Amino acid sequence: MTDKSNSVQKTHTSTRNACKLCAPLGASLVFKGIEGAMPLLHGSQGCATYIRRYVIGHFREPIDIASSSFTEHTTVFGGGENLLRAIANIVNQYNPKLIGIATTCLAETIGEDVGLHLRVLTGSNDELPQIVHVSTPSFKGTHMDGFFSAVRAVVKKFAKAGATLPDTVLFPGLLSPEDYRYIKQVFHDFQMPLVMVPDFSETLDGGSWDEYQKIPSGGTSLTELENCSRCSAAIEFGMSIPDEQSTAVYLNDSFAVPSHRMAIPLGIENSDRFFSTLAVLSGHSVPSKYAKARKRLVDAYVDGHKYAAGKTAAIYGEEDLVCALASLMSEIGITVSVCISGCKPSSLKKALERTVPSVAATASILEDADFEDLMGFMQQSPVDIMIGHSKGYSVCRKLSVPLVRVGFPVHDRMGAQRIRIVGYEGTIELYDRIINAIIDKRQESSDIGYLTW
Ligand code: SF4
């Protein structure tokens, strides 16, 4: 099953319970993090329903995503009319500041020329909201391809040259609203003005309402998007992002914005890199509350080492999350048996080689993979713990392996929006959950139950 390069060979051709989600879903999440924006999926209505189901299940918020609702006729003759009607309906019903269009598999397959349709529309109407289109063919990419492409598309739409601003722009990737709020607090404590793209810390995790809000308040403002190209620095979390999808690379190439690309700040090493970068950029030392949190994290590693040592793990999800988890595992003494993602072949392996070479050299790596692949692997090589999103639950249940839920989607538990993994504090929270899952499993299988070791 494993070749010399430790990439695992697939034993079947059909995908069952994929370890990825679809590209327009990633783009929709980005549009939900822009102030006053409305996502519009150009294609079949079912795609919008499927995506809403996943996003609502994870964030537990009402989610409006529009669709141009292709029919048989549209599929044969093109969806231009549907697109223009959908935009008119959205303007009438939602009055958005921005409409973010993502093309589904069907529109991509028939080769819809969305740019042409939009030129016809905007040429005859100067009262329209801003419109951004991002190409998101799911047959070529995952939700993270859609996510990164959408971030780059919205920044590109508003970018223009001008005097440099003191702000730092951060592209955090797909993290939880709680992580986003934590990052904003960190920048505040460093006294650094921040533009974050996207920012769904409020739009996808707000309070209860007295009246339904068609577009929840919050998100990166259009003014902030205009400022991105004039920021004094850009930080991007994600070592798997190809240059052509990286917004930091775009800003550096087109506007000479100094870029700092790094792993998700999970674990001590990755968090140290993030905090030291902020210290250099801000000219301030790391605030004492974070220095203290780092010490508590080291202490937690020491306290929990006897539970983690010698254990094995399967880690899965988005490439950058898997890399960050691999880094954490190498710090806490858990051996990574297998890394799995639905990403393109060699994408995860290359990212692991760049970020955690020790894990890249020893772990089995399943790319473009599904949970049948993981099941087959784990039946041959059992592990002590699985760490990843809820789609791996079927494997965890069949093989009685504890699952620590992290990533997207977590739709079979409460509180996915409040799972924090970044920084020293987020790492402690995840670390405690991992160690407690190991203790739980041992207690379950013990004759005496309560264990004090
Ligand atoms: S058809 Fe394509 S865009 Fe639509 S839900 Fe399926 S994968 Fe996503």
Side-chain angles (χ1 to χ4, degrees), residues 35-252:
E35 188 180 52
M38 182 70 190
L40 164 58
L41 300 192
H42 187 41
S44 323
Q45 198 167 24
C47 302
T49 307
Y50 157 81
I51 288 171
R52 277 199 302 267
R53 173 213 174 279
Y54 265 105
V55 179
I56 291 169
H58 180 89
F59 293 100
R60 299 187 190 265
E61 295 284 359
I63 305 288
D64 286 12
I65 294 175
S67 168
S68 58
S69 297
F70 272 34
T71 60
E72 289 85 348
H73 181 275
T74 337
T75 305
V76 174
F77 297 105
E81 269 181 38
N82 282 42
L83 180 66
L84 304 190
R85 204 175 316 134
I87 290 171
N89 285 340
I90 292 170
V91 171
N92 284 338
Q93 292 181 34
Y94 290 86
N95 190 25
K97 293 179 182 170
L98 181 144
I99 297 175
I101 301 172
T103 26
T104 69
C105 295
L106 183 52
E108 291 284 346
T109 302
I110 66 169
E112 275 286 277
D113 191 343
V114 174
L116 175 66
H117 297 320
L118 293 180
R119 279 195 296 283
V120 170
L121 177 68
T122 50
S124 60
N125 189 342
D126 52 12
E127 291 187 355
L128 285 169
Q130 298 286 348
I131 300 177
V132 176
H133 166 234
V134 57
S135 171
T136 46
S138 262
F139 45 81
K140 275 192 355 198
T142 70
H143 59 301
M144 292 315 296
D145 290 297
F147 190 100
F148 294 132
S149 298
V151 172
R152 185 159 158 140
V154 288
V155 169
K156 236 174 145 175
K157 167 83 181 174
F158 294 94
K160 57 178 180 237
T164 303
L165 300 167
D167 305 54
T168 298
V169 59
L170 173 75
F171 306 113
L174 178 50
L175 296 171
S176 72
E178 187 69 31
D179 280 325
Y180 282 9
R181 289 190 286 269
Y182 172 82
I183 290 165
K184 290 201 284 189
Q185 182 64 47
V186 171
F187 273 78
H188 175 79
D189 292 338
F190 271 97
Q191 300 169 46
M192 294 175 72
L194 168 69
V195 174
M196 190 163 76
V197 189
D199 177 6
F200 48 70
S201 58
E202 303 299 326
T203 54
L204 292 181
D205 188 24
S208 63
W209 301 329
D210 293 330
E211 275 183 32
Y212 186 71
Q213 296 180 21
K214 289 182 175 174
I215 300 181
S217 57
T220 315
S221 70
L222 301 194
T223 307
E224 288 176 312
L225 289 174
E226 285 172 6
N227 290 345
C228 288
S229 51
R230 298 165 56 205
C231 282
S232 54
I235 298 176
E236 187 169 62
F237 295 161
M239 300 299 285
S240 73
I241 310 171
D243 283 358
E244 62 275 14
Q245 276 182 358
S246 161
T247 313
V249 167
Y250 163 72
L251 289 179
N252 187 258

